Amino acid sequence: MADIESHDYDVIVIGAGGAGLRAAIEARSHGLRTAVLCKSLFGKAHTVMAEGGIAAAMGNVNSGDNWQVHFRDTMRGGKFLNNWRMAELHATEAPQRVWELETYGALFDRTADGRISQRNFGGHEYPRLAHVGDRTGLELIRTLQQKVVSLQQADHAEHGDYEAGLRVFAEFTVTDLLLDGGRVAGTVGYWRESGRFVRLRAPAVVLATGGIGKSFKVTSNSWEYTGDGHALALRAGARLINMEFVQFHPTGMVWPPSVKGILVTESVRGDGGVLRDAAGRRFMFDYIPEVFKDSYADTPDEADRWYSDPDNNRRPPELLPRDEVARAINNEVKEGRGTPHGGVYLDVASRLSAEEIMRRLPSMHHQFKELADVDITSERMEVGPTCHYVMGGVEVDPDTAASSVPGLFAAGEVAGGMHGSNRLGGNSLSDLLVFGRRAGAGAAEYIAALGGEHPEVSEAAVTDAVNSALAPFEVTDTRGQENPYSLHAELQQVMNRLVGIIRDGAEMCSALEQLAEIRQRAARLAVPEGNRQFNPGWHLALDLRNMLAVSECVASAALRRTESRGGHTRDDHPSMNPKWRGTLLGCELRDGSVEVTEHPQPPMREDLMRLFSPEELGKYFTEEELAVVRTPS
Amino acid sequence: MTAPTTNASTETADLPSDAPPIPEGSTMVTVKIERYNPEVDDDLHWESYRIPALPSDRVLNLLHYIKWYIDGTLTFRRSCAHGVCGSDAMRINGVNRLACKVLMKDMFAKKGETTITVEPIKGLPVEKDLLVNMEPFFEAYKAIKPYLVATGNDPTRERIQSVAERERFDDTTKCILCAACTTSCPVYWSEGSYFGPAAIVNAHRFIFDSRDEAAEERLDILNDIDGVWRCRTTFNCTDACPRGIQVTKAIQEVKRALMFRRR
């Protein structure tokens, strides 16, 4: 492999969404030469699809908000399975990251006095989401992209080279991480345009590859969401945690079939929209779980008063955390009260004036008009759950985003722990910025500690990686060849049907058997043409390896966790068990197979425990864990 | 609006055996795609595919059908698949559109069989099938300094911007950099050195941002020989924009700012 294109960097960031770009900006600010590798064109990352906003306790709209309230909401949303340190860092630093983004140039909707406006969202006690209409993710990615361009132009002015400090490799697929004695040494990947391989040496790699949604049939996720970073980490020996927790967003489009799964933003409910069954009844009042009874209204009258008087009324149950709402919709449909196309109605038309809807939800109006021929200012939307987010990911150190593999860092959706068993809306964009920055800083700290002694890339490892990526071209015997498109469709069916929103032990055993069969057939994946230039079949064949690995993790961990919590609901184990709250399930590769192991959750710091009442904690924690707050401090 | 119904069973002999069953209510249509594989073909050429289409399908669904069941080599970009990332701009029946946002119900022929033509966007080099080299497009974007230039604010608190000031440039912040406008512009086709509508839209986004301090610098750039004065106000760009941005109006506003600048 002597003739292969090669580069040397200090830090390689895989993924150019919010987390990846923030990590890269941070690494460069530490004087490190940084490469960003991304599968799509620069600026097209999945982050653009985020609609509702970025959660940060700035208190611009309700001055009662602060990081402690945000921390509490986040822990409640995740049913206390969250890594508390990550939730603490996230809540304390999110406002700084939003202000920083504004100074980078981001556009935000404003309050009457010109500050950043904030909107209500599910699970957030106060209006907390900074936003730009319903296109916040697009503005976030564009702002970071612009920041990168400005840094490159500054580097050009100083060094005569735009890419002296920061280079973006667009339409570039990473196939493997390279290790040297267990430490990260670099990556191997290829240009999608030419199919030519590239070796990149770097002592630190930040994974910021996002999620896994394309493993499911009905999903709001983009075509790039194939679990690449999760799989790269697994193959490099890192541990994934919480993989059983997959968030089904309650409101995806259900009709027409060609757009099934596309997201309908939670802002519709945050701004007053309500859910109704086929008969027009607001059913969410029937689904307020015991743990949330104190903070959610049990009558439509009180719920409606909350919008104008939030201090003296409880919140509408349409704004329960996503897992609760998704399960409720699922149940309504199952019991025969759904719409003709198997969803429920989301009604904003009877709640806000047409003018207000156009102002607050322009993209939603456009989306329904163009794709479903529904005018949301006068008609109800049909919605149902769609696979939206994976809470599970690479286990990381909260402060530095470092994984257990030296030199490997992870931030954003590919990292696990922050959101526990269920993520609140709006906490994803803030997660990207808070932990993207920390990953960039963590990599810088790691490199400084290396003191110039960098791991070596072995030629044999590069050759192996290239050969493995080219394997689909070697399947030339036409008998028994598998088509990547068909196999992908089968994988999506299995995950949707058997490891979806409501799970059952027997079904998941069957899923694991079917995944094993798909894995065997995947060895015979053949590429529909022999050349490597922009070869979509080849790209999918490689993505499919990753989707299979993460699907096995999701199914294996979900089978092991015999309780229901957040984004993991077991029909055969319907209740939440405090013993399981203290246990994290880890997934690692052992001889090519996924092995699930149990690990104790680190105990929460006492001052954070005391932010909650002992009564509330009693709903989630074991008596032993509670002893610390039972005694007055 | 309703599609002419056809008897699908007699029309599907040429569909592959592993294709999914033809859904009820679908119509057979011909999709004619301009194709190019640089490793095999000397030149661009047309290929036609006869496939079933539902009124609720988007052109992207049809391209997927061809790619998954008929010719796995068909190459195009797509990512979010609902008009936000701006990856799948192409020329559909001669006009620039995002394939994920064109509904088939608007495409069926009034009489006789429907044929849809799909070509790569014009004015940028074709790399393979519907995929073009976007580099010249992004170069023009970068040339107008597409980032906030501002001094005097500590990044620990937001700047104050009134609702009206923020509204002033709302329209041009909707851009998704799909290149549909730029590659619909006849001036851009003939003179590739022209910055093109998208770059001007993004300059507008900062020129009219109350927080920005580099408006004069950007206006100087756009006053250049390849700048706004090349615009012939054909409105192709406004028609092409999948986000509904008033592109031509934005260009006119930049022209006006140049004419009335106080220097």
Side-chain angles (χ1 to χ4, degrees), chain B residues 51-71:
Chain B
I51 58 169
L54 285 165
S56 60
D57 276 334
R58 298 163 293 156
V59 169
L60 180 64
N61 297 103
L62 271 60
L63 295 176
H64 275 153
Y65 186 99
I66 295 166
K67 177 162 129 164
W68 294 342
Y69 305 114
I70 301 175
D71 184 349

Side-chain angles (χ1 to χ4, degrees), chain B residues 30-90:
Chain B
T30 299
V31 183
K32 212 176 135 196
I33 304 176
E34 191 172 54
R35 299 202 55 179
Y36 173 63
N37 180 344
E39 292 190 5
V40 182
D41 302 324
D42 293 330
D43 215 341
L44 285 69
H45 61 280
W46 292 93
E47 281 183 32
S48 292
Y49 308 87
R50 222 156 156 269
I51 58 169
L54 285 165
S56 60
D57 276 334
R58 298 163 293 156
V59 169
L60 180 64
N61 297 103
L62 271 60
L63 295 176
H64 275 153
Y65 186 99
I66 295 166
K67 177 162 129 164
W68 294 342
Y69 305 114
I70 301 175
D71 184 349
T73 70
L74 179 64
T75 304
F76 52 89
R77 291 190 178 101
R78 52 95 174 92
S79 185
C80 84
H82 65 284
V84 189
C85 75
S87 295
D88 63 350
M90 44 192 82

Side-chain angles (χ1 to χ4, degrees), chain A residues 40-46 48-49 51 58 60 96 99-100 102-116 132-133 135 138-139 142-143 145-147 149-150 152-153 171 193-194 220-224 255-259 262-263 363 366-367 369-373 483 485-486 489 528-537 540, chain B residues 18 37-40 54 56-58 60-61 64 67-69 71-82 84-87 100-103 105-106 127-128 131-134 138 141-148 150 153-163 166 169-171 173-178 202 205-206 209 211 242-244:
Chain A
S40 46
L41 288 171
F42 187 35
K44 310 293 185 196
H46 186 268
V48 298
M49 293 163 76
E51 292 165 352
M58 299 184 289
N60 283 1
Q96 297 161 37
W99 288 320
E100 173 183 79
E102 200 276 343
T103 65
Y104 286 178
L107 172 81
F108 286 104
D109 288 353
R110 298 285 171 156
T111 60
D113 60 355
R115 291 183 301 158
I116 295 171
V132 193
R135 58 173 195 280
L138 175 65
E139 184 62 18
R142 196 64 75 237
T143 302
Q145 182 179 8
Q146 288 157 358
K147 183 71 183 172
V149 171
S150 78
Q152 289 179 326
Q153 295 191 357
E171 301 197 305
E193 180 190 343
S194 60
S220 64
N221 288 176
S222 93
W223 283 91
E224 319 296 352
W255 188 260
S258 69
V259 297
I262 290 180
L263 186 65
S363 307
H366 193 75
Q367 179 175 316
K369 192 76 206 125
E370 296 221 333
L371 301 180
D373 204 16
N483 171 334
Y485 304 108
S486 310
E529 67 171 330
N531 57 56
R532 294 197 227 154
Q533 279 205 322
F534 275 123
N535 186 325
L540 179 58
Chain B
D18 62 347
N37 180 344
E39 292 190 5
V40 182
L54 285 165
S56 60
D57 276 334
R58 298 163 293 156
L60 180 64
N61 297 103
H64 275 153
K67 177 162 129 164
W68 294 342
Y69 305 114
D71 184 349
T73 70
L74 179 64
T75 304
F76 52 89
R77 291 190 178 101
R78 52 95 174 92
S79 185
C80 84
H82 65 284
V84 189
C85 75
S87 295
C100 60
K101 289 190 72 180
V102 179
L103 275 179
K105 73 179 173 62
D106 302 324
E127 292 194 329
K128 189 179 179 190
L131 202 130
V132 299
N133 180 355
M134 296 282 283
F138 285 118
Y141 166 70
K142 290 177 193 168
I144 55 87
K145 298 187 183 286
Y147 44 82
L148 191 77
N153 189 70
D154 193 357
T156 53
R157 204 74 204 181
E158 75 260 53
R159 293 180 186 80
I160 299 299
Q161 184 170 47
S162 76
V163 173
R166 174 236 174 277
F169 62 106
D170 182 75
D171 199 36
T173 65
K174 293 178 193 158
C175 176
I176 56 175
L177 296 174
C178 66
N202 281 280
R205 181 248 174 274
F206 290 100
D209 185 337
R211 303 168 296 175
R243 305 280 291 173

Side-chain angles (χ1 to χ4, degrees), chain A residues 302-323:
Chain A
E302 180 181 354
D304 286 348
R305 285 196 303 270
W306 175 84
Y307 289 100
S308 52
D309 182 11
D311 294 337
N312 297 307
N313 294 285
R314 291 172 296 176
R315 310 157 55 76
E318 282 86 1
L319 292 179
L320 277 160
R322 288 174 174 171
D323 53 334

Side-chain angles (χ1 to χ4, degrees), chain A residues 328-339:
Chain A
I329 294 175
N330 195 69
N331 196 56
E332 286 294 303
V333 175
K334 199 169 123 196
E335 294 191 352
R337 293 187 291 275
T339 64

Side-chain angles (χ1 to χ4, degrees), chain B residues 8-252:
Chain B
S9 61
T10 59
E11 306 243 4
T12 57
D14 48 350
L15 288 181
S17 56
D18 62 347
I22 301 212
E24 206 178 310
S26 60
T27 304
M28 293 302 287
V29 300
T30 299
V31 183
K32 212 176 135 196
I33 304 176
E34 191 172 54
R35 299 202 55 179
Y36 173 63
N37 180 344
E39 292 190 5
V40 182
D41 302 324
D42 293 330
D43 215 341
L44 285 69
H45 61 280
W46 292 93
E47 281 183 32
S48 292
Y49 308 87
R50 222 156 156 269
I51 58 169
L54 285 165
S56 60
D57 276 334
R58 298 163 293 156
V59 169
L60 180 64
N61 297 103
L62 271 60
L63 295 176
H64 275 153
Y65 186 99
I66 295 166
K67 177 162 129 164
W68 294 342
Y69 305 114
I70 301 175
D71 184 349
T73 70
L74 179 64
T75 304
F76 52 89
R77 291 190 178 101
R78 52 95 174 92
S79 185
C80 84
H82 65 284
V84 189
C85 75
S87 295
D88 63 350
M90 44 192 82
R91 233 166 119 78
I92 298 170
N93 283 355
V95 289
N96 282 2
R97 292 287 181 261
L98 297 182
C100 60
K101 289 190 72 180
V102 179
L103 275 179
M104 284 305 298
K105 73 179 173 62
D106 302 324
M107 305 295 283
F108 288 123
K110 297 231 162 38
K111 267 192 224 157
E113 173 146 340
T114 301
T115 298
I116 294 163
T117 62
V118 183
E119 302 158 77
I121 45 179
K122 280 174 76 170
L124 292 168
V126 177
E127 292 194 329
K128 189 179 179 190
D129 293 340
L130 301 169
L131 202 130
V132 299
N133 180 355
M134 296 282 283
E135 209 42 49
F137 173 80
F138 285 118
E139 284 307 315
Y141 166 70
K142 290 177 193 168
I144 55 87
K145 298 187 183 286
Y147 44 82
L148 191 77
V149 178
T151 49
N153 189 70
D154 193 357
T156 53
R157 204 74 204 181
E158 75 260 53
R159 293 180 186 80
I160 299 299
Q161 184 170 47
S162 76
V163 173
E165 286 168 338
R166 174 236 174 277
E167 204 51 40
R168 178 64 189 87
F169 62 106
D170 182 75
D171 199 36
T172 44
T173 65
K174 293 178 193 158
C175 176
I176 56 175
L177 296 174
C178 66
C181 61
T182 294
T183 60
S184 73
C185 175
V187 180
Y188 190 77
W189 296 339
S190 56
E191 319 215 17
S193 55
Y194 172 42
F195 279 93
I200 302 172
V201 159
N202 281 280
H204 179 284
R205 181 248 174 274
F206 290 100
I207 290 169
F208 293 94
D209 185 337
S210 58
R211 303 168 296 175
D212 187 77
E213 294 163 10
E216 286 300 322
E217 211 177 319
R218 291 195 190 86
L219 288 172
D220 279 341
I221 293 167
L222 293 176
N223 203 18
D224 181 87
I225 181 157
D226 293 318
V228 287
W229 307 113
R230 287 277 167 109
C231 168
R232 290 286 167 266
T233 331
T234 54
F235 283 92
N236 280 19
C237 51
T238 302
D239 291 340
C241 179
R243 305 280 291 173
I245 299 172
Q246 298 301 308
V247 181
T248 316
K249 183 177 163 215
I251 298 173
Q252 291 301 101

Side-chain angles (χ1 to χ4, degrees), chain A residues 204-443:
Chain A
V205 169
V206 178
L207 296 173
T209 51
I212 66 165
K214 275 292 160 187
S215 310
F216 289 79
K217 183 164 189 286
V218 179
T219 177
S220 64
N221 288 176
S222 93
W223 283 91
E224 319 296 352
Y225 256 31
T226 52
D228 301 357
H230 287 82
L232 287 170
L234 270 180
R235 294 208 295 272
R239 180 190 293 157
L240 307 184
I241 55 166
N242 296 350
M243 289 304 289
E244 64 275 34
F245 299 107
V246 177
Q247 179 170 82
F248 288 80
H249 194 290
T251 60
M253 294 177 79
V254 296
W255 188 260
S258 69
V259 297
K260 190 166 182 173
I262 290 180
L263 186 65
V264 180
T265 176
E266 188 168 330
S267 318
V268 177
R269 283 171 286 136
D271 289 353
V274 295
L275 293 163
R276 299 183 192 278
D277 67 12
R281 189 168 159 275
R282 266 178 88 171
F283 57 82
M284 278 308 299
F285 295 99
D286 304 342
Y287 293 94
I288 305 170
E290 196 50 46
V291 292
F292 290 126
K293 284 240 187 291
D294 296 342
S295 21
Y296 288 84
D298 47 19
T299 65
D301 286 344
E302 180 181 354
D304 286 348
R305 285 196 303 270
W306 175 84
Y307 289 100
S308 52
D309 182 11
D311 294 337
N312 297 307
N313 294 285
R314 291 172 296 176
R315 310 157 55 76
E318 282 86 1
L319 292 179
L320 277 160
R322 288 174 174 171
D323 53 334
E324 309 288 354
V325 183
R327 270 192 299 273
I329 294 175
N330 195 69
N331 196 56
E332 286 294 303
V333 175
K334 199 169 123 196
E335 294 191 352
R337 293 187 291 275
T339 64
H341 300 119
V344 296
Y345 290 116
L346 174 59
D347 167 25
V348 71
S350 77
R351 311 270 304 167
L352 293 179
S353 71
E355 190 193 10
E356 196 70 349
I357 293 170
M358 294 299 291
R359 191 177 68 77
R360 292 180 189 222
L361 304 163
S363 307
M364 280 307 106
H365 179 262
H366 193 75
Q367 179 175 316
F368 270 88
K369 192 76 206 125
E370 296 221 333
L371 301 180
D373 204 16
V374 166
D375 178 356
I376 69 167
T377 65
S378 59
E379 295 171 86
R380 298 175 296 189
M381 298 164 248
E382 272 186 85
V383 296
T386 179
C387 177
H388 186 58
Y389 190 87
V390 62
M391 273 65 75
V394 181
E395 186 177 43
V396 290
D397 171 67
D399 290 74
T400 61
S403 76
S404 57
V405 175
L408 184 64
F409 299 78
E413 192 170 350
V414 69
M418 158 69 207
H419 305 287
S421 67
N422 173 57
R423 176 175 69 78
L424 293 184
N427 273 0
S428 166
L429 292 184
S430 39
D431 169 6
L432 304 183
L433 297 178
V434 167
F435 293 103
R437 177 185 151 276
R438 283 190 164 270

